Amino acid sequence: MKRDFDVVIVGGGVSGCALLWTLSQYTDLKKIALVEREKNLAKVSSNAKANSQTIHDGAIETNYTAQKARKVKFAAEKIRRYALNKNLQNKVIFEMQKMAIGVGDKECAFITKRHEEFQEIYPGLTFFDKAKLKEIEPKIILEEHGLDRPDNVVGSGFESYWCGMNFELLSENFVEEAMALNSSNHVFFNFKVGRIEPCMDEWAVISTEGDEIYAKFVLVNAGSYSLPLAQSMGYGLDLGCLPVAGSFYFVPNLLRGKVYTVQNPKLPFAALHGDPDVWIKGKTRLGPTALAMPKLERHKTSCLRGISWELIKMDCNTDVASIVFDLFTERDIRNYVFKNMVFELPYIGKRKFLKDARKIIPSLSLSDLQYAAGFGEVRPQVLDRTKKKLELGERKIVTHKGVTFNMTPSPGATSCLENALKDAKEITQYLGAHLDLERFYEELSPEELG
Ligand SMILES: Cc1cc2nc3c(=O)[nH]c(=O)nc-3n(C[C@H](O)[C@H](O)[C@H](O)COP(=O)(O)OP(=O)(O)OC[C@H]3O[C@@H](n4cnc5c(N)ncnc54)[C@H](O)[C@@H]3O)c2cc1C
C-alpha cells in the first residue's frame, strides 16, 4: 500500500472530491490521497437523499443579500460549467424552471423591489405576474376547487435554468476524472481518521484502526467532523457548532420547477421551498425543516443513542450557552424552533407542515404529503465564541502549518469548486507547487478573467 503523499484529503463528500479533482487537473502535484470513513463516496451531506439538490446561485434565494448573491453566483457557475463541460446533463445536472415567489401585498412588494435590484446581477431574470404564474406554475395559484387563490402572487426567476444537481453523482464524477488524470492518486475507503499528528516534517494521518499514511499537507473536509478533528489538535477552540437538522416532506410532482419563498429576515435558515427531485422521479421535496439537535450527523443512530459526544465536548461552555440563549430571546426564532420541532412529530407534524406548505401549493391535501423518512441531514452551523454569534455559511481554519480544516454548511455543495480553488491556492503555495489558475478560470469561470 502506498503510504507517502503530497496531500491527504480527509472526507469523501463533494468538497473533498472537488479538491481531489482540482489538484489533479490544475496542479503539478502527483501524489494525492483521499481518505473516507465510509465504504463509498458522498454518504453524508452530499448524498442524494440529504440535501435540496439545488445549485444555489442567489437568484431566487431571498435570504441572500445582493453582496452574497454576487459571490455565490461565481461559485455556482463553476460547478454548472464543470457538469456541462463533462456532458453530465440529465445525469448529474438538471434543467428546470426556478423562481422566488411573494404571496400577499407585502411580499409582492418585496419580490418586485428585489427583482429590480437583482436583474443587474442575473441577466435574463424574469418577472412573473399572477397570470403568467398561472400559466407556467399553475399549482401555486390554483386552490382546491380550481379557483385562483385570492391573494396577489408575483415571482422572479427563470423559465429554464441548469439549477438541479445530484451532488452524490457529482462527487463520484470528480473522483473518476481525478483517477483517470493521475495514476498515483489513491482513495482509501473505510479509513476513519482518528488522529493527525506531526511526524518529522510531515503529518501522519492515523485511522481509528491504527493504519497510517503520511502527507506534506492535510486538508480536512470532514463535514460536521472537521471542527472536532481541529479541536483535537488544539485549533479552532474559539468556535462551537450548532447542528441544525433538515428534513423533507415529499409531495407528488405538483411543481414544474423550483419554487422558493420570501425569507423572514430574523430567521437564520432558508424559508420553505419546493424542489422537484432529480433522483426520485415523480416526487417533489418540500423543506428543509430546521431542527436543532445534539447530533453531528443525522441518521447514524436514533434518539439519544445518537448524541455526538464530540459535540458535547465542543459546546459545553458558557460562550455557546450564551449564544444559544441570545438566539432564543428573539421571539421569531423561538417560535420557529418550536414549530420545527412539531414538524417532526407523528400525526400532528404533518398537519402543521401542511399549513406552511399551502403557501406554495394552496390546493395541497394531507394525503399528498409524506414525511421523507431517512432523508435530510444536519447543517453544522458554526458558532463564533469570540464574536458571540451564530455564523451563517462556511468557515475555514488555516493553521499555516500544512493542515487546514473546512466547515461547509449550506451552500457548501454549490461552493465545492470555489472552496477547492481556495484550498488549491493555499496548498500549492505551501508546497511550492504550480497551480494553473488561468486555465481554471478559462474552463470554469471565464467571467472572472475580466
Ligand atoms: C437539509 C440540507 C439541505 C441542503 N441543501 C443544499 C442545496 O440544495 N445546495 C447546496 O449547495 N448545499 C445544500 N446543503 C449543504 C450541502 O449538503 C453541504 O454543504 C455539502 O454537502 C458539504 O459537503 P462536504 O463534502 O463538505 O461534507 P459531507 O458531504 O458531509 O462529507 C464529509 C465526509 O467526511 C467523511 N468523514 C467524516 N469524518 C471522517 C473521519 N474522521 N475520517 C474520514 N472521513 C470522515 C464523511 O463520511 C463524509 O463522507 C444542504 C444541507 C442540508 C443538511
Side-chain angles (χ1 to χ4, degrees), residues 10-17 35-38 40-47 50-56 79 167 191-194 221-226 229 244-248 258 260 273 275 288-289 297 300 376-380 406-415:
V10 179
V14 75
S15 306
C17 298
V35 296
E36 167 54 47
R37 183 189 62 184
E38 306 290 334
N40 295 111
L41 299 168
K43 287 296 151 213
V44 191
S45 296
S46 310
N47 193 258
N51 54 65
S52 301
Q53 310 174 317
T54 303
I55 301 179
H56 287 303
I79 54 166
F167 293 107
F191 191 115
K192 180 176 179 184
V193 176
N221 268 329
S224 296
Y225 283 90
S226 287
L229 274 171
V244 180
S247 306
F248 297 97
K258 290 181 179 287
Y260 281 52
H273 42 91
D275 302 273
T289 59
E297 285 173 11
K300 294 283 157 218
E377 241 318 321
V378 165
R379 291 164 282 210
N406 284 329
M407 280 146 285
T408 48
S410 194
T414 298
S415 310

Side-chain angles (χ1 to χ4, degrees), residues 420-431:
L421 176 62
K422 282 185 200 148
D423 295 333
K425 283 182 187 167
E426 188 198 340
I427 292 168
T428 48
Q429 200 174 22
Y430 186 86
L431 297 178

Side-chain angles (χ1 to χ4, degrees), residues 366-383:
L366 206 56
S367 59
D368 289 329
L369 269 184
Q370 180 199 354
Y371 182 76
F375 285 65
E377 241 318 321
V378 165
R379 291 164 282 210
Q381 302 298 149
V382 177
L383 301 173

Side-chain angles (χ1 to χ4, degrees), residues 3-102:
R3 296 200 169 270
D4 284 297
F5 296 92
D6 293 321
V7 182
V8 167
I9 302 162
V10 179
V14 75
S15 306
C17 298
L19 179 60
L20 178 68
W21 177 77
T22 303
L23 293 176
S24 308
Q25 176 75 359
Y26 297 108
T27 75
D28 52 1
L29 292 167
K30 288 285 168 245
K31 289 186 289 176
I32 310 158
L34 177 76
V35 296
E36 167 54 47
R37 183 189 62 184
E38 306 290 334
K39 59 177 189 298
N40 295 111
L41 299 168
K43 287 296 151 213
V44 191
S45 296
S46 310
N47 193 258
K49 288 166 91 174
N51 54 65
S52 301
Q53 310 174 317
T54 303
I55 301 179
H56 287 303
D57 76 349
I60 60 165
E61 290 77 2
T62 58
N63 52 330
Y64 293 180
T65 58
Q67 193 193 11
K68 175 152 184 180
R70 278 179 216 279
K71 244 172 88 182
V72 295
K73 185 184 168 218
F74 284 129
E77 197 50 33
K78 293 182 179 80
I79 54 166
R80 190 178 291 128
R81 273 185 195 266
Y82 174 88
L84 297 177
N85 291 349
K86 301 278 178 203
N87 289 320
L88 299 175
Q89 291 89 329
N90 305 318
K91 284 174 266 179
V92 170
I93 187 165
F94 298 82
E95 193 173 30
M96 62 185 89
Q97 178 171 278
K98 68 168 188 174
M99 63 179 68
I101 59 163

